[in-house]
Amino acid sequence: VVAGDHVLKQYFNNEKAWKENKIPVENEVWHRTGDSGFVGENGELFLTGRCKQLIKTEAGWLSPFLYENRLQSLPEIEMGTILSIDNQLVMIVEPGKSIPSEKAKKVVQDAFENEYDELILMKKIPRDPRHNSKIEYGKMRETLIKKKN
């Protein structure tokens, strides 16, 4: 949660959003950002993506955002993420433009050994039309579930 002069105190004609996202405390209004994160040993704040994207595992909470950053650091990979589908961790990867599928698979297998149950290559991962760098999770999940059935 955040507060300060930069935080909107209310929404225009949206009482539901106000109840879901605003926390009034005395003369201040705090805002739920929806971001997950943690405070490091030196007191630094590390943001780890959106709370609604977190995956509950036996070992704790897993953040797809951290996987996305690791995948994008690989020169052979254009974009990728990890999802939970039918209680399986599924890594979805879009290889770089001229990268052969087998090479992309090998790179991901080497970088993420034993961190997922299934690896799927997609020619083009659906992007949020407002932010081409953000994955459209709902559409991607829908596409993958249709392919499995």
Side-chain angles (χ1 to χ4, degrees):
V1 295
V2 296
D5 293 338
H6 65 291
V7 175
L8 291 174
K9 307 297 181 226
Q10 59 188 9
Y11 292 99
F12 180 72
N13 290 335
N14 195 339
E15 185 68 21
K16 182 178 182 246
W18 193 89
K19 288 179 181 177
E20 289 173 356
N21 299 304
K22 302 298 181 180
I23 307 166
V25 178
E26 297 177 3
N27 293 330
E28 198 160 34
V29 176
W30 288 79
H31 175 74
R32 290 183 179 93
T33 66
D35 295 318
S36 64
F38 64 93
V39 177
E41 292 177 9
N42 296 327
E44 300 162 305
L45 175 63
F46 293 89
L47 296 178
T48 58
R50 307 292 292 159
C51 291
K52 65 183 178 183
Q53 299 303 329
L54 293 174
I55 300 169
K56 178 89 167 130
T57 70
E58 289 179 15
W61 291 98
L62 181 145
S63 172
F65 179 75
L66 299 177
Y67 282 81
E68 291 163 17
N69 281 310
R70 284 175 58 199
L71 283 161
Q72 285 184 321
S73 74
L74 302 172
E76 298 84 359
I77 305 304
E78 181 68 27
M79 183 174 273
T81 192
I82 194 162
L83 296 177
S84 177
I85 299 176
D86 297 330
N87 294 318
Q88 297 287 304
L89 289 177
V90 180
M91 176 105 33
I92 302 99
V93 173
E94 178 184 321
K97 299 282 181 253
S98 60
I99 305 298
S101 295
E102 289 308 313
K103 183 173 185 179
K105 275 186 180 180
K106 177 82 170 106
V107 166
V108 172
Q109 289 166 343
D110 290 347
F112 294 89
E113 188 178 345
N114 302 319
E115 293 186 51
Y116 58 87
D117 299 308
E118 183 180 358
L119 174 60
I120 296 175
L121 297 182
M122 288 185 89
K123 186 173 183 159
K124 184 77 172 164
I125 289 178
R127 312 285 207 281
D128 183 320
R130 299 166 299 161
H131 311 280
N132 194 45
S133 63
K134 293 183 180 181
I135 295 171
E136 196 168 336
Y137 294 99
K139 192 172 186 177
M140 183 173 56
R141 183 181 295 279
E142 222 175 80
T143 302
L144 293 171
I145 291 171
K146 281 181 187 175
K147 283 184 180 181
K148 284 189 172 228
N149 295 331

